[in-house]
Amino acid sequence: MARFQPWSSFTAPTPETPAMPEKVVVVGASGFGRETLDTLEAMLRAGRGPEVVGVVDDAPSVDNLARLAARDTRYLGTVNDWIAADSDKSFVLAIGSPDIRHRLAEQLESAGMRAFTAIHPSATIGRNSRIAEGTVVSARAVIWLIRFEGVGGV
């Protein structure tokens, strides 16, 4: 079940209350995984991002492993390897297939891991929008809540 947070709950640490960066593992080494890495790196540059420990993927291609290496991102092995070795970190699901995302979310949450919400600093989030835990909002995305009440109502 998705847990939602109002956008206003996402705040950057202030100089008076610095925060240790959360440690996050990206699940998925393909295109969406690299896009998610871009989002996390932008968050870090903006002062509100996590420490990216690396990427896990059950079947990364040779090309995707080379792309991770080119950006100095560690490949940590399969999802099961990571769960067995290091279950104290948060994760970001960077898998496009909804069925696989759902299965992995259940597997990781049942192992005691927590989904991290990644929101690119250039994204626009409407004031009344609610973002589900574990959501990835990419660069320049616009999220706006529109609530319809009855036919033709806004």
Side-chain angles (χ1 to χ4, degrees):
M1 175 132 164
R3 290 171 294 281
F4 292 91
Q5 298 175 300
W7 170 244
S8 60
S9 70
F10 295 99
T11 56
T14 65
E16 297 81 34
T17 59
M20 289 293 294
E22 186 168 353
K23 294 183 178 188
V24 172
V25 169
V26 174
V27 180
S30 294
F32 187 38
R34 292 188 305 277
E35 183 178 348
T36 299
L37 287 167
D38 289 341
T39 296
L40 295 169
E41 290 168 3
M43 290 175 67
L44 190 59
R45 284 190 306 271
R48 59 179 190 185
E51 174 188 338
V52 177
V53 177
V55 173
V56 297
D57 192 306
D58 287 348
S61 70
V62 172
D63 287 343
N64 286 334
L65 290 173
R67 290 174 180 132
L68 291 176
R71 65 186 302 153
D72 294 323
T73 301
R74 291 179 46 213
Y75 171 65
L76 303 173
T78 68
V79 171
N80 287 331
D81 292 340
W82 177 58
I83 289 172
D86 206 287
S87 62
D88 64 339
K89 295 180 181 76
S90 297
F91 65 91
V92 177
L93 282 177
I95 304 288
S97 167
D99 292 337
I100 295 171
R101 286 177 63 85
H102 182 72
R103 180 181 53 79
L104 285 171
E106 287 180 345
Q107 178 184 5
L108 293 167
E109 288 177 350
S110 70
M113 298 182 183
R114 188 181 75 76
F116 180 83
T117 303
I119 301 175
H120 195 284
S122 70
T124 300
I125 311 291
R127 179 179 180 166
N128 295 319
S129 297
R130 294 165 50 102
I131 306 296
E133 193 172 58
T135 299
V136 176
V137 181
S138 298
R140 299 188 182 193
V142 176
I143 298 175
W144 196 258
L145 174 68
I146 298 175
R147 184 173 159 190
F148 293 97
E149 296 184 22
V151 177
V154 178

